């Protein structure tokens, strides 16, 4: 039975692919994990024993509880994310994509308002020079309009400088005006009302960019919910395995 | 002009090798997963260095508390708990000479289960052999397939069909338990506990003795010659001596008793027997005559009410030894005290109907099983009745252990802070 | 300086057809001077004068680089004198990660999972088709061209990247020309005769033998064919033959791409793109039935035409060729029947809109299950030498994400234009990019879904400045999903712990949605763009 516990640990160490697919492993992991609770309880005879075995019991409880917690979260959070975040991207690349969104926003504004006074240098230059295609694309499309400020573009520029710039640059959205979907919608609706027809399209694009930024925030939050429990589960599993081995060794010794 | 949100445009925003750069989230995860076991290892090391006994799997049995913090007292590294450690204090005589398998002490006596009695081992240790009993040499005469008290346990030998109480004594429970018997001071109704008393430990019933249980109603009266005098419940020679002596005392103190006229007062024992007209000659002759008369009465009748007599040395008969069994079930233990809440007749129901000495009035296993089974709810393990080691062979006193103050101080400090303090030693 | 010819042509290539002819390096030639060259004989002087400046004479010293593989250009070269060396310098490899500690763990992982090297078809006698009269052998991709030979035709006429590097093997003199001159030249009977002759003498045999099914041909037979074969040219969009036409000839593709398509309800379905070195038209001849498909020139195409009678006598004479031919024919037939069946069984409109109809094998991520753990990408990278071929972004269809990963289109646009024929379909329809990819990126541009990615990697290349030494050069190569055909399951699917990733045949998978004729949700059109403010 001690070996059983160890097996659970060793199994997780094996690289997941090609030794049966990962879904099989996950299923086995869940069932064996749940099964290990009664097994270990019987092994212990429903007594907690000394300090080490007490620690083992508590660890097992936390690990199993966090695992079940994660399992439950995984049942509905993906759907939530699918529904709430339309413009999902790869989580690890959010900062990178965000840079490009910033650049794109500046591009949109500059295409109709003329160059901004002093755009922060780092947000204009795409961070990765080897991948200039994305920011370059909108530029190519709007090349014809770069000549100078389009008439009536003042409000757009103001709105960008006062609101969007901070919104795009902020690490945490906090209580930014655009961080609330309803308020953002109202602001953009207002902006559209006061802009000439020629500028409706850039405004729409800006709104999309801001929506995408907002989606990223939701995505980050959900992603943390979806994977945060692992911070408890994985390290404590490591401890559990270590202590189980010690426990096994000591019980063989004595 | 819409923003380009084709798959291609979306994909081009992603760095192709992003997964090779450690993301803070993953880095943190990896670090935590590495750090946590290291912290645990540090905790282990500290605990071990401080001498904390963190590896114990539970408190030891009460009787072993003195070794609670001294693993080496019982454990030897990589050898477990060798028997040699146990037999320093416990003799643990072998169960049967012809057994094929002798387990380790620790094989049956499971320690670190808290304050339990180690002698109460689990049935599986017994059933390991007794479910399919093999012996070396002579078979032991025991049933070879016993799974539990409920399954395969034979009927008690004492109450198997045909078993008899072979005691050489006459006793009729039926008669004695009638209502309104004539007692020494009037009518009495006897109860079980009027005669049967448990021993000090409350386990077994003490043997019935004449002095305690019979004498009041069945005095060994000498008769009219010495009114109120009784013979002792002794061997016939002692009775004869006692009778002679009492007659002599009576003759010297009450010469009038030698008058024939005074021999009229009837006694219960002499009712209906005609006394011959006495012609007192002298004291010695009177004593001799009376002694013959009394002996005839006692040996011919009074003793034989219960005992068998057989010819002995000279003219005296001797009493056939009664051989009343003191303990019936030699392979088991029993406690009447533990069962004191029960009416006697619940188990000994046949006592009220028994007219013969040879009736065995013990309950059968079925009676026990009413309570002592899984259905009955009471304990039904082997060790409830049986012991593995012969306790009579245990050491009386003077074992090898000494009190080690240091050990106990540590134990006291740790367990109950203010309990057994260092000051007590 | 060495890359000058192509550098001169590059801007024109990316922007517009070369109307205002770019300035060519070297000594511009006047019409008179041109007419002095035999191959220009017969072209009217006024025409040449109109195109003045579109041709120049250039001299290269021994060892000088004439053009480099993967570069864009717009000129063709005609060797007047001397010899040039044609080779592919890009190492025969596909993209791998570099070593280091991580690399070691990757290797360990690969070892544990018994992963083999990314396999390619091991056929060492393969020929790499290039933009010249000859092909390069796979094992040693190097050849020489001499006087009177023309190379860079495809680059010049159809703007393909240079397919090989050319270096002067000795001091030589060449004519560099733009497409207007080249087309004049190609139409000129004097040149055409010479080119035909050249081809017959030099390239025909190699070309025929390069086809696996024609390998067993005897030299006498090729001699007999020599006089019969004809080089024919087609302009972009020109139909070579139509479905239902009489089967009168067998074709080998020498230059360009030919689209083989069949009529199907809802529009033509592309069966194949025949590139240089492939053949078509045998089916009707063998079965003696009319053409079963329409063949159209996609760009400037030059074909080797073998008349039906000669072809028939060829196959009759070589039963093993006939057998091989029939085998190919049957496979092609089965494939096209299967494809037509697929297209006929689903309502086309709804699916075509999504761009998913094109797909034969689509990677989907069920977003209701996917926890975004990124295991699929990591698995893909670990299965492909540390280079992922899957990017976990894309558009959504229903509750599925269609990530960036090859969908083995029915009409593989990526296969059009590879200057070295390195991208092709393999047996189970997966698209594979051969090791000799020169990294020009045409396929990546061609894929409408961004599923081919250009991965940079380091290689050591001989340093032209300091001969004898090597320097690290950043090169790019194209990669695309190979469906992990060597395994039972694609790595991404196998690695998904939540059974969210799957490879499906979209028409079957979405059959329920398709039967209703509507995509279940409107939120994932191909060029989809959620209406601004439609959803927070």
């Amino acid at each position: 039975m001690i070996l059983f516990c160890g097996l659970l640990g060793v199994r997780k160490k094996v690289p997941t692919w090609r030794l049966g697919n990962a879904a099989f492993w996950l299923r086995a992991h869940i069932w064996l994990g749940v099964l290990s609770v009664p097994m270990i309880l019987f092994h212990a005879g429903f007594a907690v024993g000394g300090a080490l075995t007490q620690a083992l019991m508590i660890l097992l409880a936390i690990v199993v509880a966090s695992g079940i917690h994660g399992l439950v979260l995984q049942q509905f959070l993906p759907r939530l994310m699918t529904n709430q975040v339309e413009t999902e991207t790869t989580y690890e690349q959010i900062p990178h994509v965000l840079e490009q969104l910033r650049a794109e926003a500046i591009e949109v504004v500059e295409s109709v308002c003329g160059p901004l006074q002093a755009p922060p240098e780092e947000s204009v230059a795409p961070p990765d020079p080897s991948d200039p295609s994305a920011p370059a694309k909108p530029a190519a499309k709007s090349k014809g309009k770069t000549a100078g400020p389009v008439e009536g573009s003042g409000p757009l520029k103001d709105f960008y400088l006062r609101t969007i710039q901070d919104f795009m640059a902020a690490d945490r959205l906090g209580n930014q005006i655009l961080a609330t979907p309803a308020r953002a919608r109202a602001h953009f609706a207002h902006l559209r009302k006061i802009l000439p027809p020629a500028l409706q399209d850039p405004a729409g694009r800006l709104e999309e960019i801001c929506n995408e930024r907002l989606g990223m925030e939701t995505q980050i939050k959900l992603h943390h919910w979806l994977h945060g429990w692992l911070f408890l589960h994985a390290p404590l599993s490591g401890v559990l395995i270590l202590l189980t081995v010690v426990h096994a060794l000591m019980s063989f010794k004595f | 002009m819409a923003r380009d949100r084709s798959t291609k445009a979306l994909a081009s925003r992603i760095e192709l090798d992003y997964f090779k750069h450690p993301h803070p989230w993953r880095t943190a995860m990896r670090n935590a997963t590495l750090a946590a076991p290291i912290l645990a290892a540090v905790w282990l090391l500290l605990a071990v260095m401080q001498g904390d006994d963190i590896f114990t799997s539970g408190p030891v049995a009460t009787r072993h508390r003195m070794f609670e913090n001294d693993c080496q007292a019982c454990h030897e590294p990589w050898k477990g708990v060798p028997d040699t450690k146990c037999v320093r204090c416990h003799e643990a005589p072998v169960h049967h000479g012809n057994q094929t398998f002798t387990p380790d002490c620790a094989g049956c006596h499971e320690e670190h289960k808290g304050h339990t009695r180690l002698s109460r081992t689990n049935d599986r240790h017994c059933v390991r052999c007794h479910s399919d009993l093999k012996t070396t040499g002579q078979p032991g005469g025991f049933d070879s397939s016993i799974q539990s008290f409920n399954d395969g346990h034979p009927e008690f030998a004492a109450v198997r069909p045909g078993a008899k109480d072979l005691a050489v004594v006459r006793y009729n429970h039926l008669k004695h338990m009638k209502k309104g018997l004539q007692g020494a001071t009037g009518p009495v109704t006897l109860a079980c506990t009027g005669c049967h008393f448990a021993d000090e430990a409350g386990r077994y019933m003490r043997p019935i003795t004449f002095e305690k249980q019979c004498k009041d109603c069945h005095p060994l009266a000498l008769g009219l010659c010495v009114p109120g005098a009784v013979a002792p419940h002794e061997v016939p020679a002692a009775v004869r001596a006692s009778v002679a002596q009492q007659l002599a005392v009576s003759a010297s103190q009450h010469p009038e008793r030698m008058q024939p006229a005074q021999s009229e007062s009837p006694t219960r024992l002499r009712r209906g027997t005609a006394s011959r007209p006495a012609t007192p000659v002298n004291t010695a002759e009177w004593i001799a005559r009376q002694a013959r008369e009394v002996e005839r009465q006692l040996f011919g009748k009074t003793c034989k009410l219960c005992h068998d007599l057989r010819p002995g040395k000279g003219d005296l008969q001797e009493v056939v030894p009664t051989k009343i069994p003191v303990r019936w079930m030699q392979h088991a233990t029993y406690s009447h005290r533990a069962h004191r809440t029960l009416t006697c007749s619940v188990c000994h129901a046949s006592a009220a109907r028994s007219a013969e000495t040879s009736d065995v009035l013990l309950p059968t296993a079925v009676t026990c099983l009413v309570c002592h089974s899984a259905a009955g709810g009471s304990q039904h393990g082997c060790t409830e009745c049986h012991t593995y080691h012969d306790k009579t062979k245990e050491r009386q006193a003077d074992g090898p252990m000494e009190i080690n103050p240091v050990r106990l101080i540590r134990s006291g400090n740790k367990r109950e802070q203010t309990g057994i303090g260092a000051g007590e030693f | 300086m060495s890359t000058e010819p192509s550098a001169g042509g590059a801007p024109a290539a990316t922007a517009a057809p070369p109307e205002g002819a770019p300035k060519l390096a070297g000594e511009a030639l006047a019409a008179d001077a041109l007419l002095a060259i035999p191959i220009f004989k017969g072209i009217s002087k006024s025409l040449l004068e109109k195109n003045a400046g579109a041709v120049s004479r250039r001299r290269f010293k021994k060892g000088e680089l004439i053009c480099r593989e993967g570069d864009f250009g717009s000129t063709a070269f005609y060797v007047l004198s001397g010899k040039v060396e044609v080779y592919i310098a890009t190492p025969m490899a596909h993209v791998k990660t570099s070593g280091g500690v991580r690399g070691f763990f990757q290797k360990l992982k690969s070892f544990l999972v018994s992963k083999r090297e990314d396999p390619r078809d091991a056929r060492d006698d393969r020929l790499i088709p290039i933009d010249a009269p000859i092909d390069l052998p796979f094992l040693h991709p190097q050849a020489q061209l001499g006087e009177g030979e023309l190379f860079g035709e495809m680059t010049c006429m159809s703007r393909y990247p240079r397919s090989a590097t050319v270096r002067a093997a000795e001091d030589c003199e060449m004519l560099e020309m733009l497409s207007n001159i080249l087309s004049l030249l190609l139409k000129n009977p004097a040149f055409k005769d010479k080119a035909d002759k050249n081809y017959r003498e030099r390239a025909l045999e190699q070309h025929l033998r390069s086809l696996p099914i024609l390998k067993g041909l005897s030299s006498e037979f090729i001699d007999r064919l020599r006089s019969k074969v004809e080089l024919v040219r087609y302009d972009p969009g020109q139909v070579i033959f139509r479905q239902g036409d009489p089967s009168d000839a067998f074709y080998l593709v020498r230059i360009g791409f030919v689209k083989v398509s069949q009529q199907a309800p809802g529009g033509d379905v592309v069966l194949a793109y025949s590139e240089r070195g492939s053949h078509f038209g045998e089916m009707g001849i063998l079965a003696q039935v009319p053409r079963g498909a329409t063949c159209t020139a996609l760009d400037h195409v030059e074909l080797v035409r073998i008349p039906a009678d000669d072809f028939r006598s060829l196959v009759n004479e070589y039963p093993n060729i006939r057998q091989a031919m029939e085998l190919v024919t049957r496979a092609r037939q089965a494939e096209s029947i299967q494809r037509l069946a697929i297209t006929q069984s689903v309502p086309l409109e709804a699916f075509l809109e999504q761009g998913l109809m094109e797909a034969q094998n689509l990677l989907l991520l069920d977003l209701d299950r996917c926890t975004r753990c990124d295991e699929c990408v990591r698995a893909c990278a670990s299965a492909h030498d540390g280079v992922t071929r899957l990017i976990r972004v894309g558009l959504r269809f229903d509750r599925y994400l269609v990530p960036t990963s090859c969908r083995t289109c029915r009409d593989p646009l990526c296969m059009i234009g590879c200057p070295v024929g390195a991208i092709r379909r393999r047996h189970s329809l997966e698209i594979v990019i051969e090791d000799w990819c020169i990294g020009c990126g045409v396929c990546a541009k061609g894929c409408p879904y961004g599923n081919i990615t250009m991965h940079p990697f380091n290689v050591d290349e001989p340093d032209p400045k300091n001969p004898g030494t090597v320097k690290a050069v950043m090169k790019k190569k194209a990669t695309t999903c190979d469906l992990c055909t060597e395994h039972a399951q694609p790595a991404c699917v196998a690695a998904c712990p939540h059974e969210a990733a799957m490879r499906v045949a979209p028409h079957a998978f979405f059959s329920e949605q398709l039967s209703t004729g509507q995509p279940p949700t409107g939120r994932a059109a191909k060029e989809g763009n959620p209406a601004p403010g439609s959803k927070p």
Side-chain angles (χ1 to χ4, degrees), chain B residues 17 20, chain C residues 89-99 387 454-462 470-477:
Chain B
D17 54 349
K20 283 181 209 152
Chain C
T90 309
M92 291 293 158
H94 42 275
V95 186
K96 287 182 186 179
T97 34
S98 44
V387 178
M454 304 302 297
H455 279 277
F457 73 121
N458 279 314
V459 288
D460 291 336
E461 206 173 62
V470 290
K471 62 171 182 181
V473 182
M474 195 68 135
K475 285 259 179 184
K476 283 197 169 194
K477 285 211 181 212

Side-chain angles (χ1 to χ4, degrees), chain C residues 113-177:
Chain C
V113 299
S114 71
K115 166 81 185 64
R116 284 165 291 152
E117 273 285 280
D118 200 1
R120 296 283 189 271
D121 290 346
R123 247 182 48 215
D124 294 339
D125 56 348
R126 277 182 300 182
L127 291 172
I128 301 171
I130 57 164
D131 186 9
I134 44 156
D135 292 334
L136 300 181
F138 173 73
L139 284 180
H140 188 61
Q142 204 164 15
Q144 277 200 337
L145 292 176
E147 192 191 330
E149 286 189 287
L150 184 72
F151 61 88
E153 256 177 282
M154 282 173 81
T155 308
C156 179
M157 300 296 286
S158 311
R159 311 266 160 268
Y160 291 121
R162 300 275 181 208
S163 59
T165 304
V166 182
R167 193 187 287 273
E170 52 193 54
D171 289 356
C172 57
E173 196 179 25
M174 15 215 349
L175 280 180
E176 183 176 9
M177 60 195 95

Side-chain angles (χ1 to χ4, degrees), chain A residues 49-50 52 89-93 96 100 104 131 201 205 208 212 224 230-231 235 239 242 250 253-254, chain B residues 1 3-5 12-15 18 23 25-26 29 32 36-37 40 44 54-57 75-78:
Chain A
L52 182 65
T89 186
T90 310
Y91 170 75
E92 282 88 343
Q93 283 285 285
H96 182 71
Q100 295 178 28
E104 194 184 340
D131 189 17
D201 178 59
R205 281 167 65 191
E208 268 174 47
E212 194 164 344
H224 286 184
L230 275 171
F231 273 102
V239 178
L242 176 84
M250 293 314 280
K253 183 175 174 188
F254 290 119
Chain B
M1 176 178 46
R3 289 171 67 229
D4 185 12
R5 270 193 68 79
S12 66
R13 299 197 304 196
I14 306 294
E15 290 172 290
Y18 72 86
H23 186 268
W25 183 272
R26 285 181 190 267
M29 180 77 77
L44 274 182
I54 58 164
F55 298 116
T56 179
S57 62
H75 292 279
E76 263 181 39
W78 309 114

Side-chain angles (χ1 to χ4, degrees), chain A residues 44-45 48-53 55 86-93 95-97 100-101 104 128 131 133-134 137 141-142 145 201 205-206 208-209 212 216 223-224 227-228 230-231 234-236 238-239 242-243 246-247 249-250 252-254, chain B residues 1-6 8-19 21 23-30 32-44 53-59 71-72 75-81 112-113:
Chain A
V48 283
L52 182 65
T53 44
E86 293 267 339
T87 51
E88 203 182 317
T89 186
T90 310
Y91 170 75
E92 282 88 343
Q93 283 285 285
H96 182 71
V97 174
Q100 295 178 28
L101 274 186
E104 194 184 340
D128 184 1
D131 189 17
S133 52
K137 212 157 261 175
K141 281 180 186 166
S142 52
K145 292 193 246 167
D201 178 59
R205 281 167 65 191
L206 273 183
E208 268 174 47
I209 291 170
E212 194 164 344
M216 279 178 186
H223 193 93
H224 286 184
H227 294 276
L230 275 171
F231 273 102
L236 291 190
V239 178
L242 176 84
L243 292 191
V246 172
H247 174 65
L249 273 180
M250 293 314 280
F252 277 123
K253 183 175 174 188
F254 290 119
Chain B
M1 176 178 46
R3 289 171 67 229
D4 185 12
R5 270 193 68 79
S6 68
K8 199 166 184 173
L10 288 177
S12 66
R13 299 197 304 196
I14 306 294
E15 290 172 290
L16 286 176
D17 54 349
Y18 72 86
F19 54 88
H21 314 308
H23 186 268
W25 183 272
R26 285 181 190 267
T27 317
M29 180 77 77
R30 198 194 53 213
T33 312
L34 287 178
I38 292 172
L39 283 179
V42 169
W43 171 68
L44 274 182
D53 183 32
I54 58 164
F55 298 116
T56 179
S57 62
C71 308
Q72 318 295 329
H75 292 279
E76 263 181 39
W78 309 114
K79 283 183 186 164
V81 179
H112 296 287
K113 295 271 181 192

Side-chain angles (χ1 to χ4, degrees), chain B residues 327-384:
Chain B
R327 267 191 64 193
W328 280 96
M329 300 176 184
Q330 300 289 337
H331 282 289
T333 56
Y334 183 76
S335 168
H336 276 96
R337 180 182 286 164
H339 295 83
R340 66 187 181 279
T341 53
L342 296 174
T343 312
C344 302
S345 61
V346 168
C347 304
H348 302 284
S350 52
R353 302 185 302 270
S354 164
E356 298 293 329
T357 305
S358 63
D359 293 342
V360 179
L361 307 180
L362 292 172
T364 57
V366 176
T367 316
C368 303
L369 278 169
V370 171
C371 299
H372 295 277
S373 62
S378 296
Q379 298 284 338
H380 49 278
C382 303
T383 56
E384 289 301 307

